[in-house]
């Protein structure tokens, strides 16, 4: 068995030694450099575009919306976002003019020599003042009024979460060129087939005349889910007009100022409970700030809405949610995809309820937590793989949560101590894969090829973005066929070579696409058994078997396509049914200390237990959990995007502070494995789960330490200090 072993990461050595070639490392002969002229107002009419006559414009290529051969749109869900603004701008930094020059510095210089005049229009920056709703949802079950009428207490609270920058190590970067009539884009991206779809509309070409190839990608976290479609369109427009390759590589400032971020959110809870803490009614309102265009906001809101009740059973529920337009760059996918926002609210709300009922929040959670046989607010019956209680139990026990809570209460009573100490916990679920009928609609395909030379090549559009996709695929295929993992190559995600296995998002790559790879490999196994008499045992045997199976053809290809299990049903119109095939679960305990003088927070220990079904590669799983939790701690304690006039003004890593390895506290990670019958070897989703709950656990620990509930993030020293006044 290879699954369950710590197979070394396939992409590790090249990245560690610097041999990995990222987009900007590629030497593309004759390649020019692209630069972008952007809107300097958040909302306005474009009155004129003029070009400084002192600049040598004949040395460069200039592109505006008029050069777009097809539709001026970045196709995703709603066709509302233009590739280049034409007539109207709806956010600061919106792209208007593109320039390509042989010299990168001169491309940027040219961009400065373009003058755009605007007739300003009034902008809206406050999501509560917006009059345009992109999408809204309603989840309703039971009888809300009866629930509140029967309640002994009703507790209300409002919670706010900020934006967040992905801060992947590699900025957005794409190159484009035309080769034999095929418009090719290559770059740092999560979803090759999303880019392909967008390109067909911009260039009015069919899919065969466009090719999208992923290069080694330095992180994504959702930030390369949608934006690369925009960048690919820009680079390709320039390349076609220039008649030569063009690359666009953002620097950090541009990347942070113009690309998508996490949706800021406001969440309001009104909760009815019995006096011993049983949930009777949850009335929840969610508002998210979508920015200027719809992009993925509707689906981010959907996931946020579906996770808003938390990991609890409640008979009477109403969740009303909306995502609205404001005049800032569009917000988009970010690890957790709306769930960290709503989970922050529901989890921290337990601390308010705890104060109201004088029952500790751990007991309250235990009393209401989802278990095998529970029904969710959408009417989903949880019939297998429910590890919520076990995660909570293990995180509480290993962190010594209960005894430390008492010990810290005593410590905090002693006024002479230089610090306050606090310990807080949080627990959650995270739906794996696309929401509702999403996976059925995607109908993803993945495969394996056996070449006549005896190579085994895994075929999927799922991208390695640092999370371990390629290693995981090889391990799954290895056990499906019963040969060493080292026998498998992973094909580069290239739309001319691999089937559409869907986007690399939504914690779906292992559970959904890993399952397809496993099924396709079983097809190959059957072919070996039927046509060769056995699965080959040695590399030499594999060569012989390949010659027999391929029978002169260059390769044999085996594919599997996603099939929706008949008992998983979902109704988009009523938001009733199985919102996800299965959920992963996690609990976290954050143990911290606050300096009384400076209010600086030091996290002393994080203990987290996560039910991911099956760890295909435990070390990689642990890495995902520590990385995701640290990203969550950054959101909770350090990261504060500051917007002024609709643009992020601290768009640099010098003043937008993210945690480094030096800020990472000691972690204890406990893997809980409640197998899911439909995941490969029992595996469920893992990528986003660890990002979901550090926020509320930090806020609960700060409250334990200081006695103040701060219902917003980040909990910076400044914010903690002002809460004490
Ligand atoms: Mo994601 S945040 O589903 O790339």
């Amino acid at each position: 068995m290879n699954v369950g072993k710590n197979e070394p990461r396939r992409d590790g050595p090249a990245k560690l030694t610097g041999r990995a070639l990222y987009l900007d490392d590629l030497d593309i002969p004759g390649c020019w450099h692209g630069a972008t002229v952007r809107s300097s107002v958040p909302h306005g009419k474009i009155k004129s575009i003029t070009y400084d006559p002192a600049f040598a414009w004949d040395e460069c290529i200039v592109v505006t919306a008029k050069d777009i051969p097809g539709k001026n749109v970045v196709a995703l869900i709603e066709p509302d976002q233009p590739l280049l603004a034409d007539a109207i701008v709806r956010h600061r930094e919106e792209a208007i003019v593109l320039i390509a020059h042989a010299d990168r510095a001169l491309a940027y210089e040219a961009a400065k020599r373009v003058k755009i005049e605007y007739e300003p229009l009034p902008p809206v920056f406050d999501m509560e003042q917006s009059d345009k709703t992109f999408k809204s949802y309603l989840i309703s079950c039971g009888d809300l009024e009866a629930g509140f009428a029967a309640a002994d207490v009703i507790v209300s609270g409002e919670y706010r979460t900020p934006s967040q920058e992905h801060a992947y190590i590699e900025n957005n970067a794409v190159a484009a060129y035309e080769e034999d009539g095929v418009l090719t884009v290559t770059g740092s991206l999560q979803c090759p087939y999303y880019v392909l779809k967008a390109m067909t509309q911009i260039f009015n070409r069919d899919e065969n005349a466009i090719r999208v190839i992923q290069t080694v990608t330095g992180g994504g976290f959702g930030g390369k889910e949608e934006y690369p479609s925009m960048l690919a369109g820009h680079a390709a427009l320039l390349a076609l007009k220039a008649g030569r390759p063009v690359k666009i590589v953002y620097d950090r400032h541009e990347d942070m100022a113009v690309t998508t971020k996490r949706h800021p959110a406001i969440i309001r809870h009104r909760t009815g409970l019995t006096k011993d803490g049983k949930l009777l009614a949850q009335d929840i309102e969610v508002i998210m700030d979508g920015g200027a265009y719809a992009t993925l906001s509707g689906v981010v809101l959907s996931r946020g809405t579906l996770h808003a009740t938390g990991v609890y059973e409640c008979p009477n529920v109403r969740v009303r949610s909306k995502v609205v337009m404001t005049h800032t760059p569009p917000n988009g996918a970010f690890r957790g995809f709306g769930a960290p926002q709503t989970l922050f609210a529901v989890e921290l709300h337990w601390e308010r309820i705890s104060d109201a009922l004088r029952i500790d929040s751990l007991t309250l959670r235990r009393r209401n937590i989802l278990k095998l046989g529970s029904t969710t607010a959408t009417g989903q019956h949880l019939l297998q793989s429910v590890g919520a209680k076990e995660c909570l139990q293990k995180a509480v026990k290993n962190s010594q949560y209960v005894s430390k809570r008492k010990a810290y209460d005593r410590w905090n009573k002693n006024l002479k101590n230089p610090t306050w100490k606090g310990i807080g916990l949080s627990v959650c679920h995270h739906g794996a894969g696309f929401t509702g009928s999403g996976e059925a609609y995607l109908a993803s395909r993945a495969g394996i090829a056996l070449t006549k030379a005896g190579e085994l090549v895994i075929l999927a559009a799922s991208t390695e973005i640092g999370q371990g996709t390629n290693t995981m695929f090889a391990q799954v295929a290895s056990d499906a066929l019963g040969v060493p993992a080292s026998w498998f190559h992973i094909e580069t995600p290239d739309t001319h070579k691999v089937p559409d296995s869907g986007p690399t998002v939504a914690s779906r790559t292992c559970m959904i696409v890993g399952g397809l790879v496993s099924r396709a490999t079983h097809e190959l196994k059957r072919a070996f058994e039927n046509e060769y008499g056995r699965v080959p045992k040695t590399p030499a045997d594999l060569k012989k078997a390949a010659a027999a199976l391929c029978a002169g053809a260059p390769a044999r290809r085996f594919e599997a396509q996603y099939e929706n299990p008949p008992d998983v049903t979902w109704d988009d119109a009523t938001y009733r049914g199985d919102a996800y095939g299965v959920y992963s679960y996690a609990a976290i305990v954050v143990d911290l200390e606050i300096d009384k003088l400076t209010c600086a927070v030091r996290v002393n220990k994080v203990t987290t237990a996560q039910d991911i079904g099956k760890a295909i590669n435990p070390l990689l799983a642990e890495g995902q959990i520590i990385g995701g939790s640290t990203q969550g701690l950054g959101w909770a304690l350090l990261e504060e995007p500051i917007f002024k006039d609709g643009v992020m003004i601290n768009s640099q890593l010098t003043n937008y502070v993210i945690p480094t390895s030096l800020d990472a506290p000691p972690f204890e990670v406990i893997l809980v494995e409640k197998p899911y019958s439909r995941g490969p070897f029992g595996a469920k989703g893992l990528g986003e789960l660890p990002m979901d709950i550090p926020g509320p656990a930090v806020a609960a620990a700060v409250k334990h330490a200081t006695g103040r509930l701060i219902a917003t993030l980040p909990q910076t020293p400044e914010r903690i200090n002002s809460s004490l006044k």
Side-chain angles (χ1 to χ4, degrees):
M1 283 296 279
N2 200 296
V3 164
K5 289 212 182 99
N6 294 327
E7 179 83 12
R9 236 174 96 165
R10 291 196 158 211
D11 55 327
K15 285 175 177 169
L16 274 175
T17 56
R19 276 188 286 112
L21 296 178
Y22 295 81
L23 190 272
D24 204 23
D25 298 323
L26 299 180
D27 187 12
I28 305 169
C31 191
W32 281 19
H33 302 267
T36 313
V37 183
R38 302 179 177 283
S39 166
S40 57
V41 299
H43 191 200
K45 284 186 187 147
I46 298 175
K47 275 183 12 195
S48 66
I49 303 177
T50 50
Y51 300 86
D52 180 355
F55 190 80
W57 293 103
D58 56 338
E59 287 174 11
C60 60
I61 291 296
V62 178
V63 158
T64 66
K66 291 175 187 58
D67 294 293
I68 297 170
K71 289 190 198 136
N72 183 10
V73 68
V74 184
L76 193 59
I77 298 171
E78 299 293 329
D80 67 333
Q81 186 178 26
L83 181 68
L84 289 170
D86 190 16
I88 301 261
V89 292
R90 293 182 184 83
H91 64 84
R92 271 285 307 268
E93 312 303 327
E94 187 163 5
I96 302 168
V97 178
L98 303 169
I99 289 164
H101 197 290
D103 183 306
R104 189 168 192 263
L106 287 177
Y108 278 80
E109 180 59 30
K112 283 190 215 151
R113 306 291 191 96
V114 179
K115 189 162 177 251
I116 302 176
E117 285 191 317
Y118 306 88
E119 181 189 323
L121 295 168
V124 176
F125 300 131
D126 178 350
M127 66 178 113
E128 292 189 279
Q129 301 297 319
S130 174
D131 57 9
K132 184 176 161 91
T133 297
F134 288 129
K135 190 87 190 175
S136 61
Y137 298 100
L138 170 68
I139 294 175
S140 181
C141 80
D143 181 339
L144 195 69
E145 285 322 308
F148 279 118
D152 297 316
V153 290
I154 294 174
V155 183
S156 297
E158 181 182 294
Y159 303 87
R160 287 176 186 248
T161 59
S163 180
Q164 186 180 21
E165 160 60 31
H166 305 86
Y168 25 64
I169 203 161
E170 181 201 20
N171 297 327
N172 272 281
V174 161
Y177 46 90
E178 186 159 40
E179 201 173 48
D180 304 327
V182 176
L183 183 55
T184 302
V185 293
T186 181
S188 184
L189 49 92
Q190 285 179 233
C191 313
Y193 276 89
Y194 276 7
V195 176
L196 182 72
K197 181 184 162 203
M199 294 283 288
T200 58
Q201 302 217 9
I202 297 162
F203 295 95
N204 199 20
R205 293 187 179 209
D206 69 41
E207 294 196 352
N208 296 324
I210 296 168
R211 180 175 180 183
V212 181
I213 308 166
Q214 184 218 7
T215 47
V216 177
T217 296
F221 310 115
K224 292 169 187 167
E225 174 167 347
E226 52 190 303
Y227 199 83
S229 298
M230 162 89 71
L231 200 55
H234 289 172
L237 275 177
L238 287 168
L240 284 182
K241 193 159 176 184
R244 54 170 65 246
V246 171
K247 65 160 88 157
I248 305 179
V249 180
Y250 285 170
D251 65 17
R252 184 62 68 177
H253 164 63
E254 185 171 23
D255 194 296
M256 288 176 83
V258 315
T259 69
T260 56
K261 309 234 165 333
R262 185 182 296 287
H263 289 73
I266 302 170
I267 301 108
R268 299 191 181 96
H269 275 253
R270 190 168 162 256
T271 310
L273 306 100
T274 64
K275 60 181 182 303
D276 55 358
K278 200 89 186 112
L279 280 170
L280 290 178
Q282 284 177 299
D283 190 10
I284 304 167
E285 189 191 345
V286 181
I287 311 173
M288 287 191 189
D289 181 347
Y293 297 106
T295 63
L296 290 165
S297 286
V299 273
V300 169
L301 181 71
S302 166
R303 187 173 280 273
T305 306
L306 288 162
H307 288 77
T309 53
V311 62
Y312 307 103
E313 214 168 3
C314 178
N316 309 296
V317 173
R318 177 171 70 174
V319 186
R320 290 172 295 173
S321 66
K322 63 176 180 177
V323 58
V324 301
M325 181 196 175
T326 60
H327 293 96
T328 69
N331 291 311
F334 195 141
R335 198 176 201 169
F337 211 74
Q341 291 92 315
T342 56
L343 287 166
F344 174 74
V346 69
E347 282 300 288
L348 190 54
H349 195 52
W350 283 120
E351 302 305 323
R352 277 215 170 95
I353 296 170
S354 168
D355 285 349
L357 285 174
R358 297 177 177 281
I359 302 173
D360 69 89
S361 70
L362 171 59
T363 305
L364 292 169
R365 286 183 171 92
R366 283 186 171 142
R367 214 151 268 177
N368 295 286
I369 200 160
L370 291 173
K371 47 192 172 297
L372 207 62
S374 290
T375 303
T376 70
T378 64
Q380 177 167 3
H381 302 294
L382 302 176
L383 300 175
Q384 59 165 317
S385 188
V386 187
K389 210 167 181 172
E390 197 166 330
C391 287
L392 183 59
Q393 228 80 299
K394 291 199 161 157
V396 164
K397 179 167 175 280
N398 288 33
S399 64
Q400 300 170 284
Y401 175 83
V402 176
S403 60
K404 281 196 172 170
R405 245 183 120 84
K406 289 188 191 126
Y408 293 175
D409 283 338
R410 287 193 296 273
W411 171 273
N412 293 336
K413 277 198 189 100
N414 184 346
L415 300 178
K416 289 202 190 96
N417 284 328
T419 62
W420 296 291
K421 291 183 179 181
I423 188 164
L425 80 87
S426 178
V427 55
C428 76
H429 59 331
H430 194 99
F434 262 37
T435 301
S437 41
E439 289 298 341
Y441 170 79
L442 278 177
S444 299
R445 290 180 296 127
I448 185 161
L450 171 68
T451 69
K452 74 171 180 220
E455 277 179 323
L456 292 167
V457 187
I458 294 170
L459 306 168
S462 307
T463 50
E464 172 64 71
I465 52 175
Q467 81 284 47
T469 297
N470 290 354
T471 312
M472 175 274 292
F473 277 162
Q475 287 186 261
V476 165
S478 162
D479 278 11
L481 191 57
V483 304
S486 60
W487 287 24
F488 297 91
H489 301 268
I490 316 293
E491 185 55 271
T492 299
D494 171 340
T495 57
H496 273 198
K497 290 185 179 166
V498 298
D500 184 0
S501 59
T504 302
V505 304
S507 310
R508 65 185 294 280
T509 302
C510 181
M511 186 177 100
I512 303 281
V513 189
L516 296 176
V517 167
S518 170
R519 272 177 48 208
T521 309
H522 274 113
E523 294 291 318
L524 169 65
K525 186 179 184 210
R526 265 192 291 280
F528 275 136
E529 285 164 352
N530 295 340
E531 299 170 38
Y532 187 67
R534 64 171 184 273
V535 172
K537 293 192 169 59
T538 63
D541 196 17
L542 175 64
K543 275 201 167 60
K544 270 169 59 191
L549 261 69
C550 293
R556 279 274 295 273
R557 209 167 144 128
F558 302 83
E559 273 194 12
Q561 179 157 27
Y562 180 79
E563 284 158 17
N564 205 54
D567 57 329
V568 175
T569 60
W570 175 252
D571 185 347
D572 252 323
T574 58
Y575 254 56
R576 302 289 301 160
D578 303 312
Y580 300 93
V582 73
Y583 297 85
S584 298
Y585 299 90
I588 194 169
V589 173
V590 172
D591 187 341
L592 55 72
E593 197 164 358
I594 302 172
D595 185 291
K596 283 183 180 170
L597 205 58
T598 63
C599 290
V601 179
R602 192 172 77 185
V603 179
N604 287 324
K605 180 83 194 279
V606 171
T607 309
T608 182
Q610 313 222 350
D611 167 24
I612 59 173
K614 169 77 189 173
I616 302 291
N617 184 316
L619 190 63
L620 274 177
E622 202 178 315
Q624 281 269 60
I625 290 168
I626 292 174
S629 302
T630 305
Q631 205 164 28
L633 291 174
W635 192 47
L637 288 164
L638 301 173
E639 300 181 34
E640 186 149 43
I642 298 167
F643 278 77
K644 192 161 173 262
D645 296 328
V647 71
M648 184 182 181
I649 53 168
N650 56 336
S651 50
Q652 287 141 325
L653 288 174
T654 48
N655 50 13
Y656 179 83
V657 181
I658 63 166
T660 70
S661 51
L662 294 179
D663 301 295
F667 269 92
E668 181 179 347
V669 176
I670 303 132
L671 297 174
V672 175
E673 296 179 311
K674 294 261 185 206
Y676 173 45
S677 65
R678 291 180 171 121
F681 306 93
K684 306 190 280 190
L686 150 71
E688 297 168 288
L689 179 71
M691 174 76 223
D692 283 342
I693 43 171
V698 162
V702 168
K703 178 175 186 287
H704 184 219
T706 64
R708 305 303 161 105
L709 187 141
I710 305 174
T712 186
L713 297 177
Q715 311 228 324
T716 53
E718 292 83 352
R719 197 165 266 144
I720 293 170
N721 186 50
S722 55
S723 80
L724 298 170
K725 291 191 176 125

